[in-house]
């Protein structure tokens, strides 16, 4: 198969996967999505039906399941190729393992065991020209901020990516991830965080599309 044929196939992975998605609500006896997760993923979908020019901010307390929402977002938005920026190598590895096998989403019955898994490229080093085939073949690229920044400086790579997801946005050095967003201004952007403020107490730039308060997280028994 030619690379161009493979790219065309990859372009439709998330849109095809969307047809297999379910939104079961978690109960005492049945696995599913939490109240916060259902609200967040529908808020993301709603926001991008009318807005493509600003970053969407999703505020969810620690432990409320924002990583699952992050992984669902490309399916809901019909993305072609997604760049996930994580705050550390440890988190990068955790999300890579989960995403490549859809572990959490199958446990929550969002997908069944038969659904095709995405091709995930864990970017462990700064981008080099030799990595372009890895980027081409992957539906998901997962990198720490420094590696992601090096990737987004390459025009051949950036034009392939149409969605950027930043995990724990308040922990990422502002100059680094802000430059990533500038380099990827053509792509949809979602910032996931437990607080809409950075480490320097400045407000994160973007539109807050979903803000799940701590009071509801305590009520739902998912925080503390």
């Amino acid at each position: 198969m030619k690379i161009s044929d493979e790219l065309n196939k990859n372009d439709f992975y998330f849109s095809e996967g969307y047809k297999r998605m379910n939104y079961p609500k978690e109960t005492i006896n049945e696995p599913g999505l939490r109240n916060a997760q259902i609200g967040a993923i529908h808020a993301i979908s709603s926001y991008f039906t009318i807005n493509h020019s600003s970053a969407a901010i999703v505020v969810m307390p620690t432990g409320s399941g924002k990583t699952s929402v992050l992984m669902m977002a490309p399916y809901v938005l019909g993305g072609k190729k997604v760049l996930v920026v994580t705050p550390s190598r440890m988190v990068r590895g955790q999300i890579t393992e989960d995403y490549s096998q859809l572990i959490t989403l199958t446990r929550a019955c969002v997908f069944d065991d038969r659904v095709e898994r995405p091709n995930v490229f864990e970017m462990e080093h700064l981008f080099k020209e030799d990595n372009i085939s890895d980027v081409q073949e992957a539906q998901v690229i997962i990198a720490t901020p420094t590696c992601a920044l090096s990737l987004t400086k390459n025009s051949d790579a950036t034009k392939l990516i149409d969605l950027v997801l930043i995990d724990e946005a308040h922990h990422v050095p502002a100059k680094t991830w802000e430059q990533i967003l500038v380099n990827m201004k053509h792509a949809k952007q979602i910032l996931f965080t437990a607080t809409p403020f950075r480490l320097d107490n400045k407000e994160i730039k973007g539109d807050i599309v979903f803000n799940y308060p701590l009071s509801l997280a305590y009520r739902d028994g998912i925080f503390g």
Side-chain angles (χ1 to χ4, degrees):
M1 180 180 293
K2 296 180 180 179
I3 287 181
S4 59
D5 294 334
E6 186 66 27
L7 288 176
N8 290 336
K9 179 183 177 182
N10 287 349
D11 283 351
F12 296 100
Y13 168 76
F14 287 114
S15 58
E16 288 297 316
Y18 175 72
K19 301 174 185 177
R20 305 285 298 274
M21 285 185 69
N22 301 293
Y23 300 88
K25 191 168 185 178
E26 183 182 55
T27 66
I28 296 176
N29 299 317
E30 297 290 338
L33 294 171
R34 297 168 179 169
N35 187 48
Q37 294 170 317
I38 291 176
I41 196 61
H42 286 302
I44 289 169
S45 180
S46 175
Y47 178 75
F48 283 105
T49 60
I50 57 175
N51 192 317
H52 292 171
S53 60
S54 299
I57 301 173
V58 175
V59 183
M60 296 175 65
T62 302
S64 59
K66 63 180 172 56
T67 301
S68 293
V69 178
L70 179 151
M71 290 191 292
M72 292 172 67
Y75 296 95
V76 170
L77 297 178
K80 294 180 179 179
K81 196 180 300 290
V82 56
L83 171 63
V84 179
V85 185
T86 68
S88 67
R89 288 179 292 177
M90 182 181 72
V91 176
R92 182 191 68 202
Q94 292 171 342
I95 295 181
T96 297
E97 180 181 9
D98 197 343
Y99 219 153
S100 61
Q101 297 299 319
L102 296 179
I103 297 170
T104 302
L105 295 183
T106 52
R107 285 177 181 170
C109 299
V110 173
F111 292 115
D112 61 39
D113 291 331
R114 297 167 295 177
V115 72
E116 182 181 356
R117 271 51 174 173
N119 185 356
V120 178
F121 171 42
E122 182 179 5
M123 192 175 174
E124 301 182 53
H125 306 286
L126 296 178
F127 180 80
K128 297 180 180 180
E129 292 295 334
D130 293 344
N131 297 133
I132 193 63
S133 60
D134 295 318
V135 174
Q136 289 173 326
E137 295 168 7
Q139 285 105 18
V140 182
I141 303 147
I142 303 179
T144 53
T146 303
C147 291
L149 180 59
S150 72
L151 173 66
T152 63
K153 291 178 179 178
N154 182 281
S155 59
D156 290 333
T158 54
K159 66 184 181 183
L160 299 173
I161 300 167
D162 62 349
L163 178 61
V164 179
L165 308 175
I166 295 189
D167 187 32
E168 300 289 356
H170 57 286
H171 287 314
V172 181
K175 289 184 179 179
T176 302
W177 68 255
E178 284 183 353
Q179 188 59 52
I180 292 171
L181 297 184
V182 169
N183 294 347
M184 297 299 299
K185 60 185 178 181
H186 65 281
K188 296 184 180 74
Q189 303 170 355
I190 310 176
L191 284 60
F192 295 85
T193 180
T195 170
F197 294 93
R198 305 183 326 206
L199 289 177
D200 57 8
N201 292 322
K202 292 183 179 179
E203 190 171 9
I204 297 173
K205 295 179 181 178
D207 295 333
I208 297 178
V209 301
F210 186 76
N211 189 347
Y212 200 73
L214 280 175
S215 58
L216 287 183
Y218 278 115
R219 185 203 68 182
D220 294 342
I222 57 175
F223 185 84

